[in-house]
Amino acid sequence: MVFKRSGKATRLLWEAVATRPARFLGAERRRGWVLYRWGTQFGEVVLAHTVRGEMGMTFPSHALLRELAQDAVALAVVEPDYGPPHGPSLEVVDAAGPDEYYGTTWHRLERVLGMPAPYWHSNLRDPELMMAWKPGAATLHVPAVVVPDPGPLLRLAAQEPDGSHAAVAALDTARRAMWSEAKSCHDEITEHVDTSEDVTSIAIAARPLLPPEPPAVAEEILRDGWRTILNRTDTLAAECARLGHVLGATAYFPGSCKVTVDPDSCAQAGQWASRLQPSPRTALATYLGDDRDQAILIDPVTDMPAVHTGQGTIETVAPQRLPAHSPLAELTIGRGSVWVTTQDGTVFLAPQVGGGYTYGYGGGGPTALARLISLLLKDITHAAPGYDGTRPPAGLRRATEEGWKGRTPPFTLTRAELEALRDA
């Protein structure tokens, strides 16, 4: 069937108006999708929602229409963004039109269907619940979908004894992820759907159960809890390590940044490499890969895991803070790594959380290096600096951006030299 107006193909879900209500044909589950079908007087119309965790943002096309709804005259896809003032974005492709999609509104879709169509926020798309929806169904109140599933964190917390810091850390991460997803979903529906011009044409299929915001937990407890989890050797702890990384708990990890060390690049790297010892595979070693047959080493001073590579280098995890009891004595800029030597002679790989420390230009790496030096001069146990826009002392910034330009690593600066740069 081809729709014509003024000699041109009509955009069905933009221009058409039905004279009788459509017949709802039911829902269908496809990999990555839940589809709702209506038999209209123009032919079959399909509304498609992607399933979170299975399919990302997808625009309709003739190929997608043939894959999902071969006999349909139009395929409308609910996109994850919003098109004020009409609410959630809808993109459509018509079987009879050119192979390009166009936007429409929920009100224009209702003019073809004769009824409001269902809208499921992307955080609420439980396929089983979506499949059970029918026109006129009451709005459900459901938990927000968290991807990836925080279930392993809840299992670990349930298995821990009362008072366990590991249970507190795992539960806090899971609760914050669930609260964040529900709060985001609630706020977006309130702001973009409830207040839209098309709200009466939208069947809001579900709203989130909004749990209370989790109470604040002392940073020391969370750090101790995650240290306990990441020192474990079981597979549940390894699953929790991956989840903690994705769900935003790495600020409490003892280490979260992979660094490659050449043990021959400087004396400090060699000294560090010489103290590595064979170790069971801890959960923190997931940062170095998932090969459980890989031989794991550990730095007994920091408990950071390491592995040898086939290129003669060592991959390790940089600590977020140093377990040192002696002040900084020297800082060595190596090839691809920075080394801290304390006054008692202990060598540490510098604490690190983000991109690498660099020098010789104006940018994030030199700024982070200048901040690291400033922080460690004050407190050797201070956490590694992030890229939060904090400016380091001007003298150190000039040194890392300009003063050391052209210097070939490795080179070492004493505490006195670093303090002079800081105070310049």
Side-chain angles (χ1 to χ4, degrees), residues 101-244:
Y101 60 85
Y102 61 91
T104 193
T105 69
W106 293 84
H107 175 66
R108 292 178 184 276
L109 177 60
E110 184 186 21
R111 294 194 311 179
V112 172
L113 302 182
M115 65 189 74
Y119 168 67
W120 297 81
H121 187 281
S122 58
N123 289 9
L124 303 178
R125 294 179 186 174
D126 180 324
E128 290 188 13
L129 296 177
M130 297 174 74
M131 289 290 293
W133 183 89
K134 291 180 174 57
T139 300
L140 302 175
H141 289 81
V142 302
V145 176
V146 180
V147 178
D149 180 10
L153 292 166
L154 301 176
R155 287 196 293 276
L156 186 146
Q159 293 174 11
E160 287 288 301
D162 292 345
S164 161
H165 288 182
V168 172
L171 185 59
D172 179 76
T173 301
R175 292 180 69 186
R176 290 192 179 280
M178 291 187 286
W179 175 81
S180 176
E181 292 287 9
K183 182 68 164 58
S184 171
C185 176
H186 172 272
D187 291 350
E188 289 186 6
I189 292 175
T190 300
E191 180 178 356
H192 299 295
V193 184
D194 292 339
T195 62
S196 70
E197 291 183 0
D198 288 20
V199 66
T200 58
S201 299
I202 303 172
I204 301 174
R207 293 182 183 273
L209 283 172
L210 189 60
E213 183 174 4
V217 178
E219 182 179 337
E220 294 76 13
I221 291 176
L222 295 175
R223 288 212 313 263
D224 182 65
W226 274 110
R227 183 181 299 109
T228 300
I229 294 169
L230 295 170
N231 278 338
R232 287 171 44 166
T233 58
D234 56 281
T235 57
L236 178 58
E239 286 185 84
C240 290
R242 297 184 191 95
L243 284 170

Side-chain angles (χ1 to χ4, degrees), residues 293-305:
D293 294 328
Q294 194 175 40
I296 300 294
L297 305 170
I298 199 165
D299 176 1
V301 178
T302 63
D303 290 334
M304 294 296 105

Side-chain angles (χ1 to χ4, degrees), residues 15 23 26 67 70 84 122 125 159 163 170 235 242 245 269 285 309-310 327 329 369 388:
E15 299 184 27
R23 182 167 60 93
E67 177 187 345
Q70 187 170 5
S122 58
R125 294 179 186 174
Q159 293 174 11
T235 57
R242 297 184 191 95
H245 175 72
T309 72
L369 178 56
D388 58 5

